[in-house]
Amino acid sequence: MTVDLFAGIPVRDHATAAAWYERLLGAPPAFRPNDVEAVWELAEHRYVYIEVRPEHAGYAMHTVFVSDFDARIAEIAERGLEPAERETYSNGVRKAIFRDPDGNEIGFGGAPA
């Protein structure tokens, strides 16, 4: 069975949010279905998208686990974004939390170093 995941992020301003997510994710959107949405493919059949929904902006919380945690965080830093928070859990799993201009939380998690 194939499972597609579309994780939505409500934003206030399309242009501002799209530019920020391009920096975070390191690429332009995979596609723009209309004037108020932009979609990035994180992995096959796994997408994150922004949608202009001002009344809901700032409440999204998503975490993406990656196998290249240190490299990913370093690449994001090279594009001018730093985590708002860093966490290390008791089992050694690490998480870097970024917040977009609306306050939506996008975390990257990775296995212990």
Side-chain angles (χ1 to χ4, degrees), residues 1-6 43-47:
M1 171 174 57
T2 300
V3 176
D4 288 0
L5 172 66
F6 282 83
E44 187 175 13
H45 303 290
R46 290 155 185 89
Y47 302 87

Side-chain angles (χ1 to χ4, degrees), residues 9 11 13 16 27 32 34 53 56 61 69 71 74 80 95-96 107 113:
I9 303 167
V11 299
D13 180 86
T16 300
R32 295 176 185 262
N34 53 52
R53 297 182 69 188
H56 297 286
M61 296 172 59
F69 179 83
K95 182 177 179 183

Side-chain angles (χ1 to χ4, degrees), residues 23-26 66-83 86 94-98 108-109:
R23 288 174 62 202
L24 180 71
L25 301 172
V66 295
S67 60
D68 60 346
F69 179 83
D70 292 318
R72 181 76 52 113
I73 302 309
E75 290 168 3
I76 294 169
E78 289 174 7
R79 295 190 293 271
L81 297 177
E82 291 292 333
R86 291 177 184 259
R94 298 169 294 154
K95 182 177 179 183
I97 299 168
F98 295 85
F108 288 92

